[in-house]
Amino acid sequence: MAMIDHALQEFAHDALDARRRAALVALCSAAYEEDFAAYFDLLAGATHLLAEHDGAPVCHLAWVERRVWTGDGLALRAAYVEAVATRPDHQRRGLASRLLAEVPRRTAGFDIALLSPAEPEWYARRGWTPWRGTLHHRKDGRMIDDPDECVMYRRLARTPAAVDDRGSLCVDWRPLEVW
Ligand SMILES: CC(C)(COP(=O)(O)OP(=O)(O)OC[C@H]1O[C@@H](n2cnc3c(N)ncnc32)[C@H](O)[C@@H]1OP(=O)(O)O)[C@@H](O)C(=O)NCCC(=O)NCCS
């Protein structure tokens, strides 16, 4: 199917009006086939990137700022990409690929871009690399291993050359989904 030329729009989370916010929750709920309302609250402080069609969002992703620490002692300000979703009736038209391709330029002020993929191969085909080292999170002063998690990253313009994906990566705990 030919790709429709949707204009992309970027919004700070707090700048979403109630109608657009409800439409984004509906879009993510339809794509993920689960109620996304609680998860959407994790996106406080996020920047949203979306494509609209006939006045309604049909594709979305967001990034939130998270601090991560490498085993080599680097503290990185990460653009953590979340809620990549295309409305089912608009899938397989290249929309999510187009939004994802915007991420390196739009998050260039961060130290690295990260995400936790449901479909790692889909991201790998779009230039994202699995973090090979161990994953951990910090909670109540303790370091907890996350052996079952998968995280992928993209180097950005200011990613330190010393970042080595064979080392460990740690993030602070958060509710619902740590990674
Ligand atoms: C994963 C997801 C975001 C992809 O969205 P999408 O807009 O359909 O993605 P794209 O169209 O860019 O890519 C999907 C496929 O369609 C193909 N495609 C792209 N343009 C196309 C076109 N014009 N015609 C036919 N196929 C096309 C792509 O090649 C891609 O195939 P690939 O998987 O072999 O690489 C969407 O399926 C979704 O919302 N899934 C549920 C939520 C989810 O799992 N999100 C990711 C969690 S990390």
Side-chain angles (χ1 to χ4, degrees), residues 33 44 86 113 133-134:
E33 297 180 327
T86 303
T134 54

Side-chain angles (χ1 to χ4, degrees), residues 1-3 28 30-32 59-60 83-88 90-98 115-119 121-123 125-126:
M1 185 182 293
M3 196 171 91
C28 292
Y32 284 87
C59 187
H60 168 267
V84 181
T86 303
R87 211 171 73 186
H90 278 66
Q91 291 180 1
R92 302 195 68 79
R93 300 179 187 185
L95 277 174
S97 300
R98 188 164 156 227
L115 57 77
S116 178
E119 298 184 39
E121 301 78 15
W122 189 82
Y123 291 99
R125 287 193 288 278
R126 286 155 182 86

Side-chain angles (χ1 to χ4, degrees), residues 24-40 85 88 118 176-177:
L24 286 177
V25 172
L27 157 58
C28 292
S29 298
Y32 284 87
E33 297 180 327
E34 64 178 273
D35 184 356
F36 215 77
Y39 187 78
F40 209 75
L176 295 180
E177 289 201 339

Side-chain angles (χ1 to χ4, degrees), residues 74-135:
L74 294 170
L76 302 174
R77 215 176 122 246
Y80 199 83
V81 175
E82 308 264 21
V84 181
T86 303
R87 211 171 73 186
D89 60 338
H90 278 66
Q91 291 180 1
R92 302 195 68 79
R93 300 179 187 185
L95 277 174
S97 300
R98 188 164 156 227
L99 265 59
L100 203 61
E102 290 282 323
V103 166
R105 182 175 66 82
R106 292 180 188 252
T107 63
F110 290 83
D111 297 323
I112 194 166
L114 297 173
L115 57 77
S116 178
E119 298 184 39
E121 301 78 15
W122 189 82
Y123 291 99
R125 287 193 288 278
R126 286 155 182 86
W128 291 72
T129 306
W131 189 271
R132 294 179 288 172
T134 54
L135 300 171

Side-chain angles (χ1 to χ4, degrees), residues 148-168:
D148 299 327
E149 297 286 350
C150 172
V151 168
M152 300 180 83
Y153 70 99
R154 262 198 92 128
R155 287 185 179 274
L156 302 174
R158 49 185 295 168
T159 302
V163 168
D164 181 350
D165 68 16
R166 293 168 298 184
S168 63

